[in-house]
Every structure is written in C-alpha cells, then in structure tokens.
C-alpha cells in the first residue's frame, strides 16, 4: 500500500523508510543500543521504526537526534538523498538555496 503523497508528491512510506534507515545506520555507526536512545518502555518502538512498522513524528525525530548526537536537520539531510545519487551536502545546499529564495521573497 502506498503512503500519502499530499502536496509533496513523495510517498510517506518512502520517507519513513529513508529516515528509519538513517536512524539505524547512525545508531550502529555510533555503537548505540536501543536503550541508549530511549527509556526501556519505548525500545520496541525504536525497533519497530527501524523495521518500518511504525511512522515517526517530527517531535520524535527531534527527540532521537539528541542521543544520536546528530542535529535533526543533519538526520533529514542524510535521509533525503538516499536512493537518488545525491549527497547529504548537496541536499543541504539545495535547501540553503531555497531558504535564500524564500528570504528574497520577504520570508
């Protein structure tokens, strides 16, 4: 079953898959166990997220970024280009250019 595409045209299943993969890789690279990320009662949620069984909220992404020792924007930058030959640095540069355009528009 495909996820919602709303206004972005991006399947939410694909987004969750990318974020889940990023969290798993960062956790493993940093040698972190589930217990290092969340209280004992929430460990199964991290496991389920990494297996793409549940979605993640922005609040939870921000909460997880602290024990992962990675800024939430860096987590998103790593996740966004997965599977499309773009580097995290290129994703951040693209976002920076869009922010510059938004500022020029008065934002």
């Amino acid at each position: 079953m495909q996820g919602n595409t709303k206004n972005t045209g991006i399947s939410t299943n694909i987004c969750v898959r990318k974020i889940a993969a990023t969290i798993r890789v960062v956790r493993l690279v940093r040698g972190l166990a589930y217990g290092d990320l969340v209280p004992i009662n929430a460990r199964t949620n991290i496991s389920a997220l990494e297996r793409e069984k549940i979605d993640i909220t922005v609040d939870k992404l921000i909460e997880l970024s602290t024990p992962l020792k990675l800024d939430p924007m860096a987590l998103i930058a790593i996740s966004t280009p997965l599977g499309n030959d773009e580097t995290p640095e290129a994703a951040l540069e693209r976002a920076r250019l869009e922010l510059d355009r938004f500022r020029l528009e008065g934002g």
Side-chain angles (χ1 to χ4, degrees):
M1 180 171 133
Q2 281 293 72
N4 296 331
T5 56
K6 299 203 179 180
N7 296 331
T8 64
I10 300 171
S11 169
T12 54
N13 288 346
I14 292 170
C15 293
V16 169
R17 191 174 310 134
K18 289 179 177 187
I19 290 171
T22 300
I23 289 170
R24 183 175 41 256
V25 167
V26 171
R27 184 178 64 76
L28 293 173
V29 166
R30 298 238 159 113
L32 300 169
Y34 295 133
D36 297 324
L37 303 182
V38 293
I40 195 163
N41 62 339
R43 290 180 191 177
T44 56
N45 287 341
I46 299 300
S47 174
L49 171 64
E50 288 185 357
R51 290 179 290 117
E52 304 166 28
K53 301 295 182 190
I54 61 172
D55 289 342
I56 187 168
T57 64
V58 172
D59 288 341
K60 183 54 78 176
L61 181 73
I62 291 168
E63 183 183 324
L64 284 173
S65 70
T66 299
L68 287 171
K69 301 173 188 148
L70 204 58
D71 185 275
M73 294 303 295
L75 273 171
I76 293 170
I78 293 168
S79 301
T80 301
L82 289 177
N84 64 352
D85 294 333
E86 184 180 43
T87 65
E89 293 82 6
L92 285 171
E93 178 61 16
R94 184 173 32 80
R96 189 193 63 75
L97 292 172
E98 290 176 13
L99 283 171
D100 289 347
R101 256 191 313 270
F102 180 68
R103 284 191 191 115
L104 288 173
E105 295 168 353

